[in-house]
Amino acid sequence: MVCSHEVTTKAGKFRADTLAKKVPKRAWQKLSAGAGAKGHRFYDWAVIDLADPRPGSRQLLIRRNRSQAFASCHPGQMLLKLTGSSGAGKTTLAFAVADRLDGVVVHDFDEVGLPLPPIPPHWRNRMTEVWVRRALEYQVRGMDLLLTGNSPLGEVLAAPSAPSLNGIAVCLIDVADQDRGERLAARDGGRWDQAATDAFCGWAAWHRGHARDPRFRSDVIIDRSWPEMAWHRWTTWTPEDPRWRTHLIDTTGQSLATSVNQVERWVTEQREAHRSGRLALTHGWTDETHRPTDHGA
């Protein structure tokens, strides 16, 4: 059922999304929709009795992302991306901060499923476009998307539909190599051998270089990529371009609470920069004459 579908209750006829906004907090139940790549996929569920003259009883079952705030009046509509190599804590931080942010939906990139390794670059390219389109769907509904995943700034900007986004901001979640290896071992129960762990650390090092300079080893993501990617949008940029900004949060040696606070602060600052017109990657960023005075990072 689409959100615009109308149903009849004892109180009258309503759109499905309107009914969802009316559900009281106590009526939502947290239940798993099954196991995903990173454990159970928990959602909030609610059931509404429908008034139907036909025999029997009918109900409307509503599922929402646990971070979703249906009644938000936030005017931002932007994609907020937490990027970086595995083991830094991107997903943990995103879902930990979800309840603190109104009007923000949180998703993990891997919700779309993962192919068997080695994962080809063009797969991540295509899935980045899938998530950009999902962000556009939330944009229409007046909501921001906080997305975790490996796609760096250059990959997001090259996605075919990226120029249609009202705003884009990227944050690199990083951690020291030793901590990363320990987290991977604890999280995945020895799934990764030393070669795989070293590869994750190498990917993390590349992310750091890419965040600093668009010219740093761009071949890593461009070679053998999906033909639809528009790399030319940024490959002539320099580090001084205000649009090339990836914020850094290093979680090494600090508590989860501290890192969560840093992510919340970053999200809040980017949304405010967007509202005030200071965000560099706002609608029209592909135009070379588009130069906000403050990138808001």
Side-chain angles (χ1 to χ4, degrees):
M1 177 186 296
V2 296
C3 64
S4 59
H5 184 81
E6 292 189 340
V7 295
T8 302
T9 70
K10 293 180 179 179
K13 180 177 286 189
F14 302 92
R15 284 172 47 122
D17 55 353
T18 300
L19 278 178
K21 294 177 183 179
K22 295 178 179 292
V23 175
K25 185 176 181 180
R26 65 181 181 277
W28 293 101
Q29 295 187 49
K30 175 186 173 183
L31 297 169
S32 173
K38 297 183 179 179
H40 282 280
R41 297 170 295 145
F42 286 105
Y43 294 89
D44 288 333
W45 302 80
V47 176
I48 298 175
D49 291 325
L50 302 180
D52 196 309
R54 293 173 293 178
S57 62
R58 289 171 174 78
Q59 297 175 312
L60 174 65
L61 177 65
I62 303 174
R63 186 188 81 175
R64 71 175 184 183
N65 187 290
R66 300 203 71 232
S67 64
Q68 190 165 343
F70 287 98
S72 169
C73 59
H74 166 63
Q77 305 104 48
M78 64 183 297
L79 171 62
L80 299 138
K81 181 72 169 61
L82 298 186
T83 189
S85 186
S86 295
K90 302 182 297 296
T91 303
T92 298
L93 293 173
F95 284 95
V97 80
D99 291 337
R100 303 185 184 186
L101 303 168
D102 288 336
V104 178
V105 179
V106 177
H107 283 288
D108 179 61
F109 192 97
D110 294 347
E111 289 174 20
V112 296
L114 289 170
L116 293 174
I119 299 175
H122 59 77
W123 176 86
R124 194 178 65 247
N125 299 159
R126 296 198 314 274
M127 293 306 102
T128 298
E129 169 66 6
V130 167
W131 281 112
V132 167
R133 293 185 183 182
R134 182 78 67 87
L136 290 172
E137 293 173 4
Y138 284 122
Q139 181 172 290
V140 171
R141 296 161 59 184
M143 304 186 72
D144 296 335
L145 171 60
L146 177 60
L147 177 66
T148 75
N150 286 312
S151 298
L153 175 60
E155 219 161 52
V156 174
L157 299 183
S161 300
S164 297
L165 291 167
N166 285 343
I168 301 170
V170 177
C171 176
L172 173 61
I173 306 298
D174 201 10
V175 71
D177 288 351
Q178 181 174 344
D179 287 15
R180 188 184 306 277
E182 292 173 355
R183 293 182 185 183
L184 287 169
R187 187 189 75 184
D188 298 327
R191 175 183 177 186
W192 312 110
D193 59 17
Q194 189 58 50
T197 300
D198 290 345
F200 285 127
C201 293
W203 180 226
W206 180 88
H207 267 280
R208 296 179 200 117
H210 181 75
R212 291 190 300 268
D213 189 339
R215 301 165 299 186
F216 177 79
R217 292 295 312 277
S218 58
D219 60 292
V220 169
I221 55 175
I222 294 177
D223 289 356
R224 298 183 296 116
S225 61
W226 186 35
E228 299 299 316
M229 298 294 277
W231 304 109
H232 66 276
R233 291 177 186 152
W234 58 266
T235 48
T236 60
W237 294 1
T238 67
E240 292 72 35
D241 193 303
R243 295 167 294 181
W244 193 262
R245 291 294 180 270
T246 295
H247 185 70
L248 172 65
I249 293 178
D250 190 338
T251 64
T252 305
Q254 64 184 26
S255 67
L256 175 61
T258 298
S259 297
V260 170
N261 289 339
Q262 290 176 339
V263 171
E264 180 185 16
R265 188 180 310 117
W266 173 75
V267 170
T268 301
E269 289 173 351
Q270 300 313 299
R271 298 172 89 189
E272 177 55 34
H274 188 202
R275 282 193 291 264
S276 62
R278 294 180 292 109
L279 188 73
L281 289 171
T282 190
H283 199 70
W285 60 266
T286 55
D287 183 354
E288 288 303 314
T289 63
H290 181 75
R291 289 289 191 277
T293 57
D294 184 348
H295 57 72

